[in-house]
Amino acid sequence: MMNITDILENLTQINSPSGNEAEVRACVTSMIKPYCDEIYTDAMGNLIAHKKGDGTKIMLAAHMDEIGIIATDIDDNGFIRFSSVGGLNTRYLVNTRVKFSNGTVGVVGAQDEAFKDKPELDKLFIDIGAANKEEALKCVQVGDSAAFLGDMITRADTLVSKALDNRAGCAVLIDVIHNIKSSDNDLYFVFTVQEEVGLRGAKTAAFSIEPDIAIAVDVTDTGDTPDAPAMAVSLGNGTAVKVMDRSVICDADVRTKMIETAKKNNIPYQLEIMTDGGTDAGAIHLTRAGVKTGGVSIPLRYVHSPSEMANLNDIKASSKLLQKMVTETWG
């Protein structure tokens, strides 16, 4: 059984932007298959792992995809124009390395005026070192996608990597699957696709599963860096129990049960209200006649950048809370 740091290192080094989750899905499958009663991939590409039980049907969801770019044009000089896949912050892009699915690496460049302010995408390009369009087309085609390139770095309990959003959530689900010894509840672990472009995989998975209770596992911003917007979430202070974000107001009963479970088991936690952005919870809670939905969030600095930062203890606390939650008796 792998520890959660090793799981994260394996997951973050895979490039799987939205719509191209096959490689990360295969990696997750290899890690969890021996621990599940059944595992399958649905038509959208969601990976669904089932631990059978006769109790409450609980769905835990974490998205596999990461933000990225997609090639839209290649000019005569071999420079690649691109659009975003998910919520790119263009301030992080200039001079950043990106890697296409076939292994081609390029550097994001900018026209001179783009350096003055926050650059617009139409002022940016990818340079793969090609001499002309013909040479570039041997490596990259219009429609090819790429993601940030970068190793995972650890120092004490601090982790820095691209794609911690949301491979950290995936690692938590994998860890929960590995460590649950028994549960009377009917458990579905869903590794969703296309969250970054509209919570799409979670919507179809929840429709199919029809859970009684759902918990989305994702990352959240923090308010603990200089000049950060006021927010009661800090790195290293434990898992974050979601109250609301732009996509959902979490079910009060689910939220209360998470808080009580954390207190009972001495799991450090903090309460999260995210004023910008959303998670798979937003799609799940609106499915069919509605689903009682909560959220567990992992504090993350520098979200949607090549160097996202998390604390290992927050990730472990998130896993421990969910391990307890899925074995609880639900009324």
Side-chain angles (χ1 to χ4, degrees):
M1 184 187 301
M2 301 172 68
N3 65 46
I4 203 162
T5 304
D6 292 336
I7 293 170
L8 269 170
E9 185 153 22
N10 276 271
L11 294 178
T12 56
Q13 295 311 293
I14 296 170
N15 280 25
S16 284
S18 304
N20 291 272
E21 297 92 351
E23 188 176 352
V24 70
R25 181 170 57 241
C27 182
V28 173
T29 299
S30 69
M31 293 181 184
I32 65 174
K33 194 169 185 178
Y35 300 88
C36 303
D37 295 313
E38 64 174 338
I39 185 168
Y40 59 95
T41 301
D42 67 11
M44 278 290 292
N46 299 303
L47 179 65
I48 301 172
H50 187 195
K51 282 179 173 277
K52 296 179 181 179
D54 297 323
T56 302
K57 186 186 291 185
I58 301 174
M59 172 179 169
L60 301 185
H63 70 89
M64 296 184 288
D65 57 315
E66 62 190 293
I67 59 168
I69 62 96
I70 188 167
T72 58
D73 186 53
I74 301 173
D75 69 21
D76 290 340
N77 295 312
F79 295 108
I80 302 163
R81 298 291 180 168
F82 63 93
S83 186
S84 63
V85 179
L88 281 179
N89 187 330
T90 56
R91 288 176 297 179
Y92 297 132
L93 287 180
V94 179
N95 299 334
T96 295
R97 291 177 296 168
V98 295
K99 184 178 180 180
F100 288 89
S101 58
N102 66 0
T104 299
V105 174
V107 178
V108 178
Q111 296 171 215
D112 286 344
E113 59 265 36
F115 283 101
K116 298 175 182 177
D117 300 297
K118 183 178 178 181
E120 299 295 328
L121 282 177
D122 64 1
K123 303 297 183 184
L124 302 177
F125 54 86
I126 297 171
D127 182 357
I128 62 170
N132 50 48
K133 183 173 184 176
E134 182 180 6
E135 186 177 327
L137 284 170
K138 294 176 181 178
C139 301
V140 177
Q141 302 289 320
V142 169
D144 287 351
S145 61
F148 294 134
L149 181 64
D151 296 335
M152 189 177 88
I153 299 167
T154 61
R155 187 198 64 79
D157 294 322
T158 301
L159 309 173
V160 176
S161 179
K162 65 94 173 172
L164 286 172
D165 177 11
N166 182 39
R167 305 293 161 69
C170 293
V172 165
L173 257 60
I174 292 168
D175 195 57
V176 173
I177 292 169
H178 286 179
N179 285 286
I180 293 174
K181 304 305 179 187
S182 63
S183 174
D184 293 330
N185 295 316
D186 198 25
L187 306 181
Y188 285 84
F189 299 86
V190 185
F191 299 85
T192 66
V193 297
Q194 298 190 40
E195 188 271 353
E196 296 290 3
V197 291
L199 319 180
R200 297 172 185 173
K203 181 177 182 180
T204 60
F207 189 93
S208 171
I209 293 168
E210 294 188 74
D212 301 312
I213 303 292
I215 300 174
V217 187
D218 209 328
V219 301
T220 184
D221 292 316
T222 68
D224 58 353
T225 56
D227 297 323
M231 184 180 185
V233 175
S234 298
L235 216 66
N237 281 4
T239 187
V241 175
K242 185 179 290 292
V243 178
M244 66 173 288
D245 58 33
R246 293 289 295 276
S247 69
V248 65
I249 298 174
C250 289
D251 181 84
D253 292 336
V254 176
R255 183 178 71 246
T256 298
K257 198 173 189 73
M258 281 197 281
I259 293 169
E260 290 175 348
T261 301
K263 288 179 177 178
K264 182 171 62 177
N265 293 281
N266 296 313
I267 300 169
Y269 77 95
Q270 44 198 324
L271 297 177
E272 175 226 352
I273 297 175
M274 190 165 66
T275 58
D276 187 23
T279 70
D280 278 338
I284 295 168
H285 85 289
L286 295 174
T287 301
R288 293 189 183 266
V291 179
K292 293 170 73 69
T293 303
V296 165
S297 299
I298 300 159
L300 196 70
R301 293 178 183 164
Y302 322 120
V303 176
H304 285 193
S305 82
S307 300
E308 297 171 332
M309 180 181 289
N311 184 284
L312 184 60
N313 293 319
D314 297 337
I315 296 170
K316 289 179 176 178
S318 300
S319 176
K320 186 176 179 182
L321 177 59
L322 288 171
Q323 289 175 49
K324 298 297 182 181
M325 290 294 291
V326 298
T327 58
E328 289 281 327
T329 300
W330 295 78

